[in-house]
Amino acid sequence: MYDQKYLGCINGMVLCVDEADSYNIKGRIFHLYQNDPLVFQSYNEMFFKSEKFFNDLGCPRANQSDRDFNGKVISNFALKGMDKMKKDEEILEEHGELGTFIIRVQHRQHSSWQGRVTWLDENKTVYFRSELELMKLIDGALNDKQFENDDEN
């Protein structure tokens, strides 16, 4: 088995989960093309902020565009010439209190994400086909860790 602890592409980001409950997570997202992390208080906010960032970056391209009421396309999908702010090693040093994940969004199709997620604590990588499936994978990993911690106490 080989090590999955790398970003590997412009679409890669590190998700640090600091708090979680039955329905949501709170934490930070780190990306090579931003100095400060995206701080979020819910899955909804995480996806919304990440989607905006991907639109600003122009990658990965969405196959559906935002439009105004007149049907005019709002988003510009040309790569914006953003400068890389950090190195892979710097971002991979970040860790969440409950869990750390590398998310590589390979496609944004059907108004959702497709890609793969690596749970750094276990060095496990799984492919996902939608944001909902990604949420379930993250929740499952966090629940597994919760059960391990409960067994130790």
mmCIF file of all heavy atoms in Angstrom, residues 28-39 53 82-87 90-91 94:
data_model
loop_
_atom_site.group_PDB
_atom_site.id
_atom_site.type_symbol
_atom_site.label_atom_id
_atom_site.label_comp_id
_atom_site.label_asym_id
_atom_site.label_seq_id
_atom_site.Cartn_x
_atom_site.Cartn_y
_atom_site.Cartn_z
ATOM 1 N N ARG A 28 -11.805 23.935 9.390
ATOM 2 C CA ARG A 28 -11.066 24.807 8.472
ATOM 3 C C ARG A 28 -10.680 24.038 7.216
ATOM 4 O O ARG A 28 -10.463 22.827 7.282
ATOM 5 C CB ARG A 28 -9.783 25.292 9.157
ATOM 6 C CG ARG A 28 -10.028 26.043 10.442
ATOM 7 C CD ARG A 28 -8.811 26.032 11.374
ATOM 8 N NE ARG A 28 -8.688 24.695 11.981
ATOM 9 C CZ ARG A 28 -7.547 24.030 12.107
ATOM 10 N NH1 ARG A 28 -6.406 24.545 11.705
ATOM 11 N NH2 ARG A 28 -7.527 22.826 12.651
ATOM 12 N N ILE A 29 -10.578 24.779 6.110
ATOM 13 C CA ILE A 29 -10.109 24.202 4.846
ATOM 14 C C ILE A 29 -8.872 24.977 4.411
ATOM 15 O O ILE A 29 -8.885 26.209 4.363
ATOM 16 C CB ILE A 29 -11.174 24.291 3.744
ATOM 17 C CG1 ILE A 29 -12.381 23.438 4.104
ATOM 18 C CG2 ILE A 29 -10.588 23.852 2.408
ATOM 19 C CD1 ILE A 29 -13.518 23.578 3.126
ATOM 20 N N PHE A 30 -7.823 24.249 4.069
ATOM 21 C CA PHE A 30 -6.581 24.847 3.596
ATOM 22 C C PHE A 30 -6.382 24.496 2.127
ATOM 23 O O PHE A 30 -6.656 23.370 1.709
ATOM 24 C CB PHE A 30 -5.395 24.338 4.422
ATOM 25 C CG PHE A 30 -5.442 24.774 5.850
ATOM 26 C CD1 PHE A 30 -6.131 24.027 6.798
ATOM 27 C CD2 PHE A 30 -4.813 25.936 6.254
ATOM 28 C CE1 PHE A 30 -6.186 24.427 8.128
ATOM 29 C CE2 PHE A 30 -4.865 26.349 7.576
ATOM 30 C CZ PHE A 30 -5.546 25.595 8.510
ATOM 31 N N HIS A 31 -5.891 25.452 1.358
ATOM 32 C CA HIS A 31 -5.671 25.277 -0.076
ATOM 33 C C HIS A 31 -4.368 25.963 -0.461
ATOM 34 O O HIS A 31 -3.988 26.969 0.147
ATOM 35 C CB HIS A 31 -6.853 25.871 -0.865
ATOM 36 C CG HIS A 31 -6.884 25.438 -2.283
ATOM 37 N ND1 HIS A 31 -6.125 26.050 -3.258
ATOM 38 C CD2 HIS A 31 -7.572 24.450 -2.894
ATOM 39 C CE1 HIS A 31 -6.352 25.455 -4.413
ATOM 40 N NE2 HIS A 31 -7.220 24.483 -4.223
ATOM 41 N N LEU A 32 -3.712 25.439 -1.465
ATOM 42 C CA LEU A 32 -2.433 25.989 -1.908
ATOM 43 C C LEU A 32 -2.524 27.433 -2.393
ATOM 44 O O LEU A 32 -1.553 28.175 -2.343
ATOM 45 C CB LEU A 32 -1.863 25.133 -3.049
ATOM 46 C CG LEU A 32 -1.516 23.696 -2.705
ATOM 47 C CD1 LEU A 32 -1.152 22.932 -3.971
ATOM 48 C CD2 LEU A 32 -0.388 23.634 -1.700
ATOM 49 N N TYR A 33 -3.691 27.839 -2.866
ATOM 50 C CA TYR A 33 -3.849 29.152 -3.482
ATOM 51 C C TYR A 33 -4.509 30.169 -2.561
ATOM 52 O O TYR A 33 -5.084 31.139 -3.031
ATOM 53 C CB TYR A 33 -4.622 29.028 -4.799
ATOM 54 C CG TYR A 33 -3.778 28.394 -5.877
ATOM 55 C CD1 TYR A 33 -3.607 27.026 -5.935
ATOM 56 C CD2 TYR A 33 -3.118 29.177 -6.815
ATOM 57 C CE1 TYR A 33 -2.810 26.437 -6.902
ATOM 58 C CE2 TYR A 33 -2.319 28.604 -7.790
ATOM 59 C CZ TYR A 33 -2.169 27.222 -7.818
ATOM 60 O OH TYR A 33 -1.372 26.655 -8.785
ATOM 61 N N GLN A 34 -4.422 29.955 -1.261
ATOM 62 C CA GLN A 34 -4.948 30.941 -0.315
ATOM 63 C C GLN A 34 -4.065 30.955 0.926
ATOM 64 O O GLN A 34 -3.556 29.924 1.347
ATOM 65 C CB GLN A 34 -6.402 30.650 0.050
ATOM 66 C CG GLN A 34 -6.600 29.324 0.755
ATOM 67 C CD GLN A 34 -8.049 28.957 0.877
ATOM 68 O OE1 GLN A 34 -8.837 29.238 -0.008
ATOM 69 N NE2 GLN A 34 -8.416 28.318 1.964
ATOM 70 N N ASN A 35 -3.878 32.136 1.484
ATOM 71 C CA ASN A 35 -3.055 32.273 2.694
ATOM 72 C C ASN A 35 -3.793 31.819 3.930
ATOM 73 O O ASN A 35 -3.253 31.104 4.760
ATOM 74 C CB ASN A 35 -2.613 33.738 2.878
ATOM 75 C CG ASN A 35 -1.344 34.033 2.120
ATOM 76 O OD1 ASN A 35 -0.465 33.194 1.998
ATOM 77 N ND2 ASN A 35 -1.264 35.234 1.587
ATOM 78 N N ASP A 36 -5.019 32.262 4.073
ATOM 79 C CA ASP A 36 -5.797 31.974 5.271
ATOM 80 C C ASP A 36 -6.778 30.839 4.996
ATOM 81 O O ASP A 36 -7.304 30.712 3.894
ATOM 82 C CB ASP A 36 -6.574 33.217 5.703
ATOM 83 C CG ASP A 36 -5.642 34.375 6.049
ATOM 84 O OD1 ASP A 36 -4.583 34.111 6.654
ATOM 85 O OD2 ASP A 36 -5.966 35.522 5.706
ATOM 86 N N PRO A 37 -7.048 30.038 6.012
ATOM 87 C CA PRO A 37 -8.004 28.950 5.812
ATOM 88 C C PRO A 37 -9.427 29.476 5.649
ATOM 89 O O PRO A 37 -9.762 30.564 6.107
ATOM 90 C CB PRO A 37 -7.876 28.126 7.088
ATOM 91 C CG PRO A 37 -7.405 29.099 8.117
ATOM 92 C CD PRO A 37 -6.531 30.083 7.382
ATOM 93 N N LEU A 38 -10.255 28.672 4.992
ATOM 94 C CA LEU A 38 -11.689 28.936 4.955
ATOM 95 C C LEU A 38 -12.265 28.319 6.226
ATOM 96 O O LEU A 38 -12.182 27.102 6.416
ATOM 97 C CB LEU A 38 -12.342 28.284 3.733
ATOM 98 C CG LEU A 38 -11.900 28.761 2.358
ATOM 99 C CD1 LEU A 38 -12.554 27.909 1.273
ATOM 100 C CD2 LEU A 38 -12.265 30.213 2.168
ATOM 101 N N VAL A 39 -12.794 29.149 7.102
ATOM 102 C CA VAL A 39 -13.375 28.664 8.360
ATOM 103 C C VAL A 39 -14.867 28.454 8.129
ATOM 104 O O VAL A 39 -15.530 29.298 7.521
ATOM 105 C CB VAL A 39 -13.135 29.678 9.498
ATOM 106 C CG1 VAL A 39 -13.781 29.203 10.788
ATOM 107 C CG2 VAL A 39 -11.636 29.908 9.690
ATOM 108 N N PHE A 53 -14.802 29.457 -3.878
ATOM 109 C CA PHE A 53 -13.358 29.465 -4.113
ATOM 110 C C PHE A 53 -13.018 28.792 -5.443
ATOM 111 O O PHE A 53 -12.223 29.300 -6.222
ATOM 112 C CB PHE A 53 -12.623 28.798 -2.956
ATOM 113 C CG PHE A 53 -11.133 28.762 -3.162
ATOM 114 C CD1 PHE A 53 -10.381 29.919 -2.999
ATOM 115 C CD2 PHE A 53 -10.499 27.605 -3.539
ATOM 116 C CE1 PHE A 53 -9.004 29.904 -3.214
ATOM 117 C CE2 PHE A 53 -9.133 27.585 -3.750
ATOM 118 C CZ PHE A 53 -8.388 28.728 -3.580
ATOM 119 N N MET A 82 -4.186 32.978 -10.379
ATOM 120 C CA MET A 82 -3.877 33.112 -8.956
ATOM 121 C C MET A 82 -2.494 32.519 -8.703
ATOM 122 O O MET A 82 -2.076 31.582 -9.360
ATOM 123 C CB MET A 82 -4.912 32.384 -8.107
ATOM 124 C CG MET A 82 -6.294 32.981 -8.177
ATOM 125 S SD MET A 82 -7.442 31.953 -7.236
ATOM 126 C CE MET A 82 -8.084 33.162 -6.113
ATOM 127 N N ASP A 83 -1.798 33.092 -7.749
ATOM 128 C CA ASP A 83 -0.473 32.605 -7.395
ATOM 129 C C ASP A 83 -0.556 31.596 -6.267
ATOM 130 O O ASP A 83 -1.358 31.748 -5.349
ATOM 131 C CB ASP A 83 0.422 33.770 -6.960
ATOM 132 C CG ASP A 83 0.713 34.730 -8.101
ATOM 133 O OD1 ASP A 83 0.809 34.268 -9.256
ATOM 134 O OD2 ASP A 83 0.831 35.938 -7.830
ATOM 135 N N LYS A 84 0.299 30.603 -6.343
ATOM 136 C CA LYS A 84 0.376 29.610 -5.279
ATOM 137 C C LYS A 84 0.935 30.294 -4.037
ATOM 138 O O LYS A 84 1.959 30.968 -4.092
ATOM 139 C CB LYS A 84 1.303 28.481 -5.737
ATOM 140 C CG LYS A 84 1.094 27.178 -5.079
ATOM 141 C CD LYS A 84 2.022 26.147 -5.677
ATOM 142 C CE LYS A 84 1.369 24.800 -5.689
ATOM 143 N NZ LYS A 84 2.265 23.769 -6.191
ATOM 144 N N MET A 85 0.245 30.160 -2.933
ATOM 145 C CA MET A 85 0.626 30.836 -1.694
ATOM 146 C C MET A 85 1.436 29.939 -0.758
ATOM 147 O O MET A 85 2.206 30.424 0.044
ATOM 148 C CB MET A 85 -0.620 31.308 -0.935
ATOM 149 C CG MET A 85 -1.523 32.195 -1.721
ATOM 150 S SD MET A 85 -0.769 33.793 -1.886
ATOM 151 C CE MET A 85 -2.056 34.678 -2.720
ATOM 152 N N LYS A 86 1.206 28.632 -0.843
ATOM 153 C CA LYS A 86 1.845 27.704 0.090
ATOM 154 C C LYS A 86 2.329 26.468 -0.645
ATOM 155 O O LYS A 86 1.930 26.205 -1.763
ATOM 156 C CB LYS A 86 0.856 27.298 1.185
ATOM 157 C CG LYS A 86 0.414 28.452 2.038
ATOM 158 C CD LYS A 86 -0.387 27.970 3.222
ATOM 159 C CE LYS A 86 -0.710 29.172 4.084
ATOM 160 N NZ LYS A 86 -1.166 28.812 5.385
ATOM 161 N N LYS A 87 3.147 25.703 0.032
ATOM 162 C CA LYS A 87 3.633 24.429 -0.494
ATOM 163 C C LYS A 87 2.797 23.301 0.093
ATOM 164 O O LYS A 87 2.206 23.443 1.167
ATOM 165 C CB LYS A 87 5.102 24.230 -0.123
ATOM 166 C CG LYS A 87 6.023 25.254 -0.738
ATOM 167 C CD LYS A 87 7.442 25.003 -0.325
ATOM 168 C CE LYS A 87 8.345 26.056 -0.972
ATOM 169 N NZ LYS A 87 9.728 25.899 -0.575
ATOM 170 N N GLU A 90 3.490 22.493 3.781
ATOM 171 C CA GLU A 90 2.936 23.422 4.776
ATOM 172 C C GLU A 90 1.487 23.082 5.098
ATOM 173 O O GLU A 90 1.070 23.075 6.260
ATOM 174 C CB GLU A 90 2.984 24.859 4.258
ATOM 175 C CG GLU A 90 4.364 25.456 4.138
ATOM 176 C CD GLU A 90 4.302 26.848 3.550
ATOM 177 O OE1 GLU A 90 4.009 27.787 4.324
ATOM 178 O OE2 GLU A 90 4.529 26.993 2.341
ATOM 179 N N ILE A 91 0.717 22.811 4.068
ATOM 180 C CA ILE A 91 -0.704 22.523 4.263
ATOM 181 C C ILE A 91 -0.903 21.166 4.932
ATOM 182 O O ILE A 91 -1.778 21.003 5.767
ATOM 183 C CB ILE A 91 -1.454 22.607 2.923
ATOM 184 C CG1 ILE A 91 -1.448 24.055 2.454
ATOM 185 C CG2 ILE A 91 -2.866 22.089 3.040
ATOM 186 C CD1 ILE A 91 -2.116 24.280 1.136
ATOM 187 N N GLU A 94 -1.145 20.855 8.744
ATOM 188 C CA GLU A 94 -2.370 21.255 9.448
ATOM 189 C C GLU A 94 -3.175 20.013 9.824
ATOM 190 O O GLU A 94 -3.270 19.075 9.038
ATOM 191 C CB GLU A 94 -3.215 22.176 8.562
ATOM 192 C CG GLU A 94 -2.516 23.436 8.130
ATOM 193 C CD GLU A 94 -2.269 24.409 9.271
ATOM 194 O OE1 GLU A 94 -2.891 24.270 10.350
ATOM 195 O OE2 GLU A 94 -1.439 25.310 9.092
#
